[in-house]
Amino acid sequence: MNVARILYPVEVLGPGKRIGIWLCGCRRGCRGCSNPELREPGDEYEVGVDRVFELIERIAASHEVEGFTISGGEPMEQAEELSALLHRIRAVSEDILIYTGFRLEELQDRKDVFTDAVLRAAAVLIDGEYIEEKNTDVLLRGSSNQRIHILNPALEGKYRAYLETAHNQIQNFITSDGVVSVGIHRQGFT
């Protein structure tokens, strides 16, 4: 799979200390995208599901992992690999939040075994394309047209409480490539 970055602890894209995974590759091309550098997949980002899971296990061995947030790029362009990874990471945490530019209905209409497996494994799906003009600082969403679907009823209380008390924040990580700014950025962020 094409993975650009794995960061921990991400505390601004869902409740608790989470492992954030950003996949590469997105054909959508939304104007004002917060991660335009992740549109093109690249050989330098190609890594096997086993290797990604090994990294996750290393983090989980010495840190509390309360959930996962998966973004991109467009995660659903790698549904086969993503479904294999989700099958494994559920052993660490069933709280898996996925961002996608596709609408839930579009994904369901695919009638694809891998897409269906991703949707079954996800606890929360935030769907819909990013529309820069609708970036109005709504919690967990880049633009107000995006919807939050709580797919795992066991986590509904946790997410309802989070949605009532949290607000968008930015978290910066220093990496070997520089600073990575994580969170829901305001319109015009570069």
Side-chain angles (χ1 to χ4, degrees):
M1 65 190 312
N2 233 242
V3 179
R5 57 183 79 111
I6 298 173
L7 299 173
Y8 175 87
V10 174
E11 298 179 87
V12 297
L13 293 174
K17 293 182 179 183
R18 312 174 71 80
I19 294 177
I21 303 169
W22 282 262
L23 305 183
C24 284
C26 181
R27 293 182 287 253
R28 302 189 72 82
C30 299
R31 188 170 58 80
C33 172
S34 64
N35 297 318
E37 73 280 8
L38 303 183
R39 286 183 181 155
E40 294 299 321
D43 292 340
E44 68 273 22
Y45 298 122
E46 195 61 38
V47 61
V49 170
D50 289 341
R51 179 69 178 129
V52 174
F53 188 66
E54 286 173 18
L55 293 170
I56 289 167
E57 283 185 312
R58 285 178 44 203
I59 294 168
S62 57
H63 298 87
E64 180 180 19
V65 176
E66 297 175 76
F68 294 90
T69 297
I70 300 170
S71 190
E74 174 53 65
M76 298 310 291
E77 288 184 10
Q78 298 184 61
E80 182 174 359
E81 296 87 351
L82 183 57
S83 68
L85 179 62
L86 297 185
H87 176 73
R88 297 184 73 184
I89 67 174
R90 284 182 61 134
V92 177
S93 174
E94 290 188 7
D95 183 352
I96 301 169
L97 184 155
I98 300 174
Y99 282 92
T100 179
F102 294 99
R103 301 292 272 190
L104 175 60
E105 297 80 7
E106 290 176 275
L107 297 172
Q108 291 168 330
D109 287 346
R110 284 183 178 181
K111 307 276 190 248
D112 171 71
V113 65
F114 301 114
T115 300
D116 293 345
V118 169
L119 294 176
R120 280 192 309 275
V124 176
L125 185 79
I126 298 180
D127 76 348
E129 70 178 311
Y130 173 72
I131 300 173
E132 189 170 30
E133 296 78 27
K134 293 185 177 188
N135 181 337
T136 57
D137 197 32
V138 288
L139 182 60
L140 285 180
R141 292 165 283 165
S143 54
S144 60
N145 61 295
Q146 295 173 325
R147 304 175 300 176
I148 299 173
H149 302 277
I150 301 172
L151 303 176
N152 181 337
L155 294 175
E156 186 158 351
K158 176 181 181 179
Y159 272 88
R160 293 284 172 222
Y162 178 79
L163 292 169
E164 289 174 9
T165 60
H167 62 280
N168 285 333
Q169 298 179 61
I170 303 302
Q171 182 180 8
N172 293 319
F173 289 85
I174 298 172
T175 71
S176 59
D177 296 327
V179 176
V180 176
S181 186
V182 173
I184 304 298
H185 294 82
R186 294 184 188 267
Q187 196 176 142
F189 173 81
T190 54

